[in-house]
Amino acid sequence: MKVDILTLFPEMFEGVFNHSILKRATELGAFSYNLVNFREYTESKHNKVDDYPYGGGAGLVLSPQPIFDALEDVTKEKDKKPRVILMCPQGEPYTQQKAEELAKEEHLVFICGHYEGYDERIRQHLVTDEISIGDYVLTGGELGAMVVVDSVVRLLPSVLGNEDSAPNDSFSSGLLEHPHYTRPAEFRGMKVPDVLLSGNHAKIEEWRRQQSLRRTAERRKDLLEQYPLTDQDKAWLNQWRDDHNLS
Protein backbone atom coordinates (compact mmCIF):
# COMPACT_ATOMS: atom_id res chain seq x y z
CA MET A 1 0.00 0.00 0.00
CA LYS A 2 1.17 3.50 -0.90
CA VAL A 3 0.14 6.40 1.34
CA ASP A 4 0.62 10.08 0.52
CA ILE A 5 0.02 12.60 3.28
CA LEU A 6 -0.53 16.26 2.46
CA THR A 7 0.36 18.25 5.55
CA LEU A 8 1.95 21.47 6.73
CA PHE A 9 3.86 19.52 9.39
CA PRO A 10 5.45 16.42 7.81
CA GLU A 11 7.95 16.09 10.65
CA MET A 12 5.12 15.08 12.99
CA PHE A 13 4.82 11.71 11.22
CA GLU A 14 8.44 10.59 11.32
CA GLY A 15 8.44 9.32 14.90
CA VAL A 16 5.19 7.41 14.49
CA PHE A 17 6.00 5.86 11.12
CA ASN A 18 9.51 4.77 12.14
CA HIS A 19 8.53 2.64 15.11
CA SER A 20 6.65 -0.54 15.96
CA ILE A 21 4.18 -2.04 13.47
CA LEU A 22 4.39 0.77 10.93
CA LYS A 23 8.16 0.41 10.77
CA ARG A 24 7.78 -3.35 10.38
CA ALA A 25 5.27 -2.85 7.57
CA THR A 26 7.69 -0.55 5.77
CA GLU A 27 10.54 -3.05 6.13
CA LEU A 28 8.31 -5.83 4.79
CA GLY A 29 7.40 -3.72 1.77
CA ALA A 30 3.71 -3.85 2.68
CA PHE A 31 3.53 -0.10 3.24
CA SER A 32 5.31 2.96 1.87
CA TYR A 33 4.58 6.58 2.59
CA ASN A 34 5.31 9.99 1.14
CA LEU A 35 5.04 13.14 3.26
CA VAL A 36 4.13 16.19 1.20
CA ASN A 37 4.31 19.71 2.58
CA PHE A 38 1.68 21.42 0.47
CA ARG A 39 3.12 24.83 1.39
CA GLU A 40 5.77 24.02 -1.21
CA TYR A 41 3.07 24.21 -3.89
CA THR A 42 1.70 27.64 -3.07
CA GLU A 43 1.82 30.33 -5.71
CA SER A 44 1.63 33.03 -3.04
CA LYS A 45 4.69 35.27 -3.00
CA HIS A 46 4.41 35.29 0.80
CA ASN A 47 4.26 31.48 0.95
CA LYS A 48 0.72 31.54 2.30
CA VAL A 49 -1.65 28.58 2.10
CA ASP A 50 -4.65 30.20 3.80
CA ASP A 51 -6.75 33.33 3.67
CA TYR A 52 -9.70 35.05 5.33
CA PRO A 53 -13.13 33.57 4.60
CA TYR A 54 -15.50 35.35 2.25
CA GLY A 55 -18.38 36.81 4.20
CA GLY A 56 -16.26 37.35 7.28
CA GLY A 57 -15.89 35.24 10.39
CA ALA A 58 -13.20 34.02 12.75
CA GLY A 59 -10.10 32.18 11.66
CA LEU A 60 -8.41 31.43 8.37
CA VAL A 61 -9.38 28.95 5.67
CA LEU A 62 -7.04 26.75 3.65
CA SER A 63 -6.84 27.91 0.04
CA PRO A 64 -7.64 25.46 -2.76
CA GLN A 65 -4.65 26.12 -5.05
CA PRO A 66 -1.80 24.53 -3.01
CA ILE A 67 -3.82 21.42 -2.18
CA PHE A 68 -5.15 20.96 -5.71
CA ASP A 69 -1.63 21.26 -7.13
CA ALA A 70 -0.08 18.97 -4.51
CA LEU A 71 -2.67 16.26 -5.10
CA GLU A 72 -2.30 16.48 -8.87
CA ASP A 73 1.45 16.07 -8.47
CA VAL A 74 1.32 12.95 -6.28
CA THR A 75 -1.25 11.28 -8.53
CA LYS A 76 -0.05 12.33 -11.99
CA GLU A 77 1.67 9.01 -12.78
CA LYS A 78 -1.10 6.82 -11.40
CA ASP A 79 -3.46 4.96 -13.72
CA LYS A 80 -5.97 4.34 -10.96
CA LYS A 81 -7.26 7.21 -8.88
CA PRO A 82 -6.56 6.82 -5.16
CA ARG A 83 -8.97 7.20 -2.28
CA VAL A 84 -8.52 10.77 -1.09
CA ILE A 85 -9.35 11.15 2.59
CA LEU A 86 -10.08 14.47 4.22
CA MET A 87 -9.52 14.44 7.97
CA CYS A 88 -12.40 16.54 9.23
CA PRO A 89 -14.57 16.74 12.39
CA GLN A 90 -17.61 16.88 10.09
CA GLY A 91 -16.69 13.57 8.49
CA GLU A 92 -17.96 10.02 8.82
CA PRO A 93 -17.23 8.58 12.31
CA TYR A 94 -14.29 6.21 11.98
CA THR A 95 -14.85 2.50 12.66
CA GLN A 96 -13.01 -0.78 12.40
CA GLN A 97 -15.19 -1.63 9.41
CA LYS A 98 -13.93 1.50 7.64
CA ALA A 99 -10.35 0.46 8.43
CA GLU A 100 -10.99 -2.94 6.87
CA GLU A 101 -12.47 -1.28 3.80
CA LEU A 102 -9.50 1.06 3.35
CA ALA A 103 -7.01 -1.80 3.87
CA LYS A 104 -8.15 -3.24 0.53
CA GLU A 105 -6.92 -0.16 -1.36
CA GLU A 106 -3.55 0.15 -3.09
CA HIS A 107 -3.19 3.90 -2.70
CA LEU A 108 -4.53 6.32 -0.11
CA VAL A 109 -4.03 10.08 0.09
CA PHE A 110 -4.70 11.99 3.32
CA ILE A 111 -5.31 15.72 3.44
CA CYS A 112 -4.53 17.19 6.86
CA GLY A 113 -5.96 20.62 7.47
CA HIS A 114 -5.25 23.37 9.94
CA TYR A 115 -6.84 26.68 10.85
CA GLU A 116 -10.60 27.19 10.64
CA GLY A 117 -11.28 24.78 7.80
CA TYR A 118 -11.00 24.02 4.09
CA ASP A 119 -12.17 25.92 1.07
CA GLU A 120 -15.32 24.01 0.13
CA ARG A 121 -14.02 23.32 -3.39
CA ILE A 122 -11.40 20.99 -1.89
CA ARG A 123 -14.17 18.96 -0.29
CA GLN A 124 -16.37 18.98 -3.35
CA HIS A 125 -13.87 18.20 -6.11
CA LEU A 126 -10.93 16.28 -4.62
CA VAL A 127 -12.17 14.14 -1.79
CA THR A 128 -13.64 10.62 -1.87
CA ASP A 129 -13.95 10.18 1.92
CA GLU A 130 -14.30 12.50 4.89
CA ILE A 131 -13.31 10.91 8.20
CA SER A 132 -13.64 12.02 11.81
CA ILE A 133 -11.98 10.09 14.63
CA GLY A 134 -14.35 11.51 17.23
CA ASP A 135 -16.71 14.27 18.23
CA TYR A 136 -14.05 16.75 19.23
CA VAL A 137 -11.78 19.21 17.45
CA LEU A 138 -7.98 18.92 17.16
CA THR A 139 -5.56 21.63 16.09
CA GLY A 140 -5.00 19.81 12.81
CA GLY A 141 -5.65 16.64 10.88
CA GLU A 142 -2.23 15.08 11.44
CA LEU A 143 -3.04 13.14 14.61
CA GLY A 144 -6.24 11.80 13.06
CA ALA A 145 -4.36 10.69 9.94
CA MET A 146 -1.83 8.85 12.10
CA VAL A 147 -4.66 6.99 13.83
CA VAL A 148 -6.27 5.97 10.55
CA VAL A 149 -2.99 4.91 8.91
CA ASP A 150 -1.99 2.82 11.93
CA SER A 151 -5.36 1.07 12.08
CA VAL A 152 -5.29 0.32 8.33
CA VAL A 153 -1.68 -0.78 7.92
CA ARG A 154 -1.87 -3.30 10.77
CA LEU A 155 -4.54 -5.12 8.72
CA LEU A 156 -2.30 -5.64 5.71
CA PRO A 157 -1.16 -9.23 5.07
CA SER A 158 1.84 -10.40 7.15
CA VAL A 159 2.22 -7.11 9.01
CA LEU A 160 1.14 -8.43 12.42
CA GLY A 161 2.92 -11.74 11.98
CA ASN A 162 -0.07 -13.71 13.31
CA GLU A 163 -2.91 -13.82 10.78
CA ASP A 164 -5.44 -14.49 13.57
CA SER A 165 -4.62 -11.30 15.48
CA ALA A 166 -6.56 -8.73 13.48
CA PRO A 167 -9.80 -10.73 12.98
CA ASN A 168 -10.03 -11.25 16.75
CA ASP A 169 -9.62 -7.58 17.65
CA SER A 170 -12.40 -5.70 19.37
CA PHE A 171 -14.93 -4.41 16.79
CA SER A 172 -13.65 -6.71 14.00
CA SER A 173 -16.13 -9.38 14.98
CA GLY A 174 -18.79 -6.88 16.01
CA LEU A 175 -18.15 -7.54 19.72
CA LEU A 176 -15.56 -6.35 22.21
CA GLU A 177 -12.66 -8.72 22.72
CA HIS A 178 -12.52 -11.16 25.64
CA PRO A 179 -10.06 -10.69 28.55
CA HIS A 180 -6.46 -11.85 28.18
CA TYR A 181 -4.06 -13.38 30.72
CA THR A 182 -0.42 -14.42 30.65
CA ARG A 183 2.16 -15.84 33.08
CA PRO A 184 2.33 -16.15 36.03
CA ALA A 185 -0.84 -18.12 36.72
CA GLU A 186 -1.09 -16.35 40.08
CA PHE A 187 0.10 -12.82 40.78
CA ARG A 188 -0.37 -11.14 44.17
CA GLY A 189 -3.22 -13.48 44.95
CA MET A 190 -4.96 -12.82 41.62
CA LYS A 191 -5.45 -16.04 39.66
CA VAL A 192 -5.94 -16.78 35.99
CA PRO A 193 -9.35 -18.44 35.37
CA ASP A 194 -9.02 -22.21 35.66
CA VAL A 195 -10.54 -22.84 32.25
CA LEU A 196 -7.58 -21.13 30.54
CA LEU A 197 -5.21 -23.57 32.23
CA SER A 198 -7.29 -26.65 31.44
CA GLY A 199 -5.97 -27.39 27.95
CA ASN A 200 -9.57 -27.98 26.84
CA HIS A 201 -9.70 -25.80 23.72
CA ALA A 202 -13.43 -26.17 23.20
CA LYS A 203 -14.11 -24.96 26.74
CA ILE A 204 -11.62 -22.12 26.32
CA GLU A 205 -13.32 -20.90 23.14
CA GLU A 206 -16.70 -21.14 24.88
CA TRP A 207 -15.39 -19.09 27.83
CA ARG A 208 -13.94 -16.48 25.49
CA ARG A 209 -17.20 -16.18 23.62
CA GLN A 210 -19.14 -15.74 26.85
CA GLN A 211 -16.70 -13.12 28.13
CA SER A 212 -16.82 -11.23 24.84
CA LEU A 213 -20.61 -11.11 24.99
CA ARG A 214 -20.62 -10.01 28.63
CA ARG A 215 -18.01 -7.34 28.15
CA THR A 216 -19.92 -5.94 25.18
CA ALA A 217 -23.17 -5.97 27.17
CA GLU A 218 -21.49 -4.12 30.02
CA ARG A 219 -19.63 -1.51 28.00
CA ARG A 220 -21.22 -1.18 24.55
CA LYS A 221 -24.86 -2.25 24.55
CA ASP A 222 -25.29 -0.45 21.24
CA LEU A 223 -23.08 -3.04 19.53
CA LEU A 224 -25.28 -5.90 20.73
CA GLU A 225 -28.34 -4.24 19.21
CA GLN A 226 -26.77 -4.62 15.76
CA TYR A 227 -25.14 -8.02 16.31
CA PRO A 228 -26.74 -11.27 15.02
CA LEU A 229 -26.88 -13.22 18.30
CA THR A 230 -27.31 -16.98 18.16
CA ASP A 231 -29.74 -18.77 20.45
CA GLN A 232 -26.76 -19.92 22.51
CA ASP A 233 -25.48 -16.34 22.76
CA LYS A 234 -28.87 -15.19 24.02
CA ALA A 235 -29.00 -18.00 26.57
CA TRP A 236 -25.55 -17.11 27.92
CA LEU A 237 -26.45 -13.42 28.15
CA ASN A 238 -29.77 -14.14 29.86
CA GLN A 239 -28.05 -16.40 32.39
CA TRP A 240 -25.42 -13.73 33.06
CA ARG A 241 -28.11 -11.07 33.57
CA ASP A 242 -30.06 -13.36 35.91
CA ASP A 243 -26.93 -14.10 37.93
CA HIS A 244 -26.27 -10.35 38.34
CA ASN A 245 -29.90 -9.27 38.72
CA LEU A 246 -29.73 -7.22 35.54
CA SER A 247 -32.69 -6.39 33.33
Side-chain angles (χ1 to χ4, degrees), residues 123-146:
R123 193 190 309 272
Q124 290 177 333
H125 298 286
L126 297 183
V127 172
T128 60
D129 303 81
E130 294 182 48
I131 289 178
S132 167
I133 63 167
D135 292 341
Y136 48 86
V137 179
L138 299 170
T139 55
E142 285 78 12
L143 293 174
M146 293 176 199

Side-chain angles (χ1 to χ4, degrees), residues 5 11 16 19 21 50 56 65 67 69 93 109 147 176:
I5 298 177
E11 62 277 4
V16 174
H19 290 85
I21 296 299
D50 57 3
Q65 179 270 314
I67 293 178
D69 285 2
V109 178
V147 168
L176 300 185

Side-chain angles (χ1 to χ4, degrees), residues 12 65 71 78 83 131-132 154 170 181 190 197 240:
M12 289 181 64
Q65 179 270 314
L71 181 63
K78 302 292 183 181
R83 294 280 283 272
I131 289 178
S132 167
R154 66 188 301 277
S170 290
Y181 295 88
M190 298 175 284
L197 308 175
W240 170 71

Side-chain angles (χ1 to χ4, degrees), residues 207-235:
W207 179 87
R208 287 176 170 169
R209 179 69 174 182
Q210 291 174 351
Q211 293 298 315
S212 181
L213 289 164
R214 292 173 186 177
R215 179 158 287 187
T216 307
E218 288 174 330
R219 303 181 183 187
R220 291 293 304 273
K221 290 182 181 179
D222 58 302
L223 295 178
L224 282 182
E225 293 172 1
Q226 307 169 36
Y227 190 79
L229 297 169
T230 66
D231 290 341
Q232 182 63 75
D233 292 337
K234 294 175 183 176

Side-chain angles (χ1 to χ4, degrees), residues 144-203:
M146 293 176 199
V147 168
V148 175
V149 171
D150 183 277
S151 64
V152 169
V153 170
R154 66 188 301 277
L155 297 175
L156 300 178
S158 303
V159 168
L160 290 181
N162 185 335
E163 296 304 316
D164 293 329
S165 294
N168 292 325
D169 287 337
S170 290
F171 305 110
S172 289
S173 67
L175 301 173
L176 300 185
E177 197 172 6
H178 57 77
H180 292 280
Y181 295 88
T182 189
R183 297 175 183 175
E186 183 174 347
F187 174 69
R188 297 185 180 181
M190 298 175 284
K191 296 181 179 181
V192 172
D194 289 340
V195 65
L196 298 180
L197 308 175
S198 69
N200 187 327
H201 294 292
K203 287 292 185 183

